Amino acid sequence: MFKTVEEGLAKIKVPSVEKPEDGRGQGFYNPVMKENRDISVAVFSVFINKYFPSDKNVKILDALTATGIRAIRYRKELDGVEVWATDVNENAIKLAKKNAILNNVKIKIEKKDANLIMHERGFDIIDIDPYGTPVMFIDSAFHSIGRFGLLAVTATDTAALNGVYPIVSERRYGIKSVKTQFSKELGTRIILTHIIREGMKYDKAFIPLLSYQSRHYIRLFGLIRKSVEKCNKLLRNIKYFFLADSKKNADKIYLGPLHNKKFCSLVLKELQKRKLDGKKIALLAHNELDIPFYYDIHKLARIYKKNIPRTEKLIKRLKKHGYKASKTIFSDIGIKTNVKEAEVIKYFET
Ligand SMILES: C[S@@+](CC[C@H](N)C(=O)[O-])C[C@H]1O[C@@H](n2cnc3c(N)ncnc32)[C@H](O)[C@@H]1O
């Protein structure tokens, strides 16, 4: 049984199930990922307008397509793109083909392993949106994108990355995760470090454009450039990081910028223009201080037995005293600042 849903400019058939997981094997569709897809449309649009303004053949691969929703939206909502879509599931491919016809769009849809197509063909933009970890697709994506392009990656194994299963994180990403007040950013930087290292094997730099965690997933967008200089610049930002509460837990981790602010402001404008979801995320990325990690205001208040201040108020107070401070994309109750923990606490009380 199928039902029709509308998302962006697409109208597609999806399995008529109670929970999205029940549709696995038929053509998985999760409506809460609309925000992820909306942001992707805006990011790809900004990327194409900036770097391929007159190219009518920008090649996009939706490598794990399921119902075909991403591929269809990219074809309908972006100008001058050639879209390919693959999935290993037979039913998903049948459904994606039906949905492409329903939407009257030309997409090259094939039942094929994502790794295989990425070794057979070159693409300018690749979207990797799997169940769980994307780790098995990253190497192939760097193989497929040549000297320049854009790679978008979703990871839903946030329990491993955010410190619930540190050993799983160490196995998959080579870095042990840990539960801390800034776990969401640590988890995001762990997978980012892994992706950057995978690219550097081929002298390809993954330069973060936008990195965030929302609901149950992490989403990363990076510019790919084949450049030894750019790789070495990234390498200089992979440094030993010691957690204050666990000195023996030191690992090398990417501590450089998570976003390109100018790019994020263009993404925000694009989301506004197109009336899409994700504006809060783009705005937070644009305004976020480029300082690794954040304080959890509630946690500090508990530890130091203080009243909880409002995030905005605390930021204002710190700025008034000449410090840098901003919200973080990772938590509504987190702040980024250049002030040490003991000093921040002083500004909890008026
Ligand atoms: C989370 S779903 C994709 C959801 C889709 N991107 C969306 O936005 O609705 C993951 C899909 O990856 C497919 N898949 C799993 N392993 C694959 C592989 N090695 N190559 C291609 N597709 C694969 C599954 O069959 C499933 O349809």
Side-chain angles (χ1 to χ4, degrees), residues 9-34:
L9 296 184
K11 195 171 176 182
I12 61 160
K13 298 258 184 231
V14 303
S16 183
V17 286
E18 239 172 69
K19 292 179 271 131
E21 304 82 67
D22 299 339
R24 281 191 186 205
Q26 301 171 59
F28 179 84
Y29 175 79
N30 188 350
V32 309
M33 293 299 257
K34 174 185 181 287

Side-chain angles (χ1 to χ4, degrees), residues 24-25 27-30 33 36-37 62-70 86-89 92 112-115 127-132 136-137:
R24 281 191 186 205
F28 179 84
Y29 175 79
N30 188 350
M33 293 299 257
N36 177 320
R37 292 182 284 263
D62 173 11
L64 301 104
T65 198
T67 58
I69 181 67
R70 282 174 197 262
T86 47
D87 201 291
V88 282
N89 185 279
K112 190 168 267 191
D113 191 296
N115 283 315
D127 193 337
I128 308 267
D129 181 57
Y131 299 129
M136 59 291 272
F137 303 111

Side-chain angles (χ1 to χ4, degrees), residues 212-269:
Y212 70 92
Q213 241 188 76
S214 176
R215 299 171 186 269
H216 63 294
Y217 71 91
I218 294 171
R219 183 75 164 159
L220 305 169
F221 296 93
L223 200 67
I224 310 295
R225 274 187 192 276
K226 184 155 185 188
S227 153
V228 170
E229 289 75 32
K230 300 257 185 254
C231 285
N232 289 345
K233 193 171 169 202
L234 286 171
L235 204 51
R236 284 195 291 279
N237 271 323
I238 299 181
K239 300 177 186 163
Y240 273 110
F241 176 69
F242 294 88
L243 285 169
D245 50 353
S246 144
K247 288 268 184 242
K248 49 186 178 342
N249 215 345
D251 252 315
K252 276 189 140 183
I253 188 157
Y254 172 74
L255 298 178
L258 293 170
H259 327 288
N260 175 318
K261 286 178 185 279
K262 218 168 141 199
F263 190 90
C264 290
S265 78
L266 294 174
V267 170
L268 178 61
K269 277 193 198 133

Side-chain angles (χ1 to χ4, degrees), residues 41 44-45 60 73-81 274:
V41 167
F44 294 0
S45 170
I60 302 182
R73 289 196 58 186
Y74 298 152
R75 186 68 182 82
K76 286 189 108 162
E77 295 174 40
L78 301 171
D79 286 334
V81 294
R274 292 169 180 260

